[in-house]
Amino acid sequence: PGVTIYAIGLGGVDAGLMRRIANAPNTTGWTGNIPAEPTGEYEFVADPDDLPAAFSKIASMILRLSR
């Protein structure tokens, strides 16, 4: 089944790298058709005050998967 990765980038991060690490659908060259590579999610926040919203979004995705 593999491991699903959820990544949050804060400030000056390499967004392309973070998307590839998470195997996020908005990654350049993403195919989404390799079962061994689960689809993850990457969220970017420019301001630390936006971190709670990013964590909440990812938490809701994880909770949806657990049902």
Side-chain angles (χ1 to χ4, degrees):
V3 175
T4 302
I5 296 173
Y6 297 90
I8 297 176
L10 172 63
V13 298
D14 183 339
L17 175 63
M18 296 295 280
R19 286 186 191 101
R20 287 191 303 276
I21 289 170
N23 194 34
N26 57 353
T27 303
T28 302
W30 184 80
T31 60
N33 61 359
I34 303 171
E37 296 182 13
T39 301
E41 185 68 31
Y42 167 65
E43 291 295 319
F44 170 78
V45 294
D47 188 294
D49 292 336
D50 297 329
L51 282 171
F55 277 103
S56 291
K57 181 177 179 181
I58 289 174
S60 69
M61 289 178 190
I62 293 169
L63 291 172
R64 213 172 313 130
L65 290 173
S66 69
R67 294 181 183 186

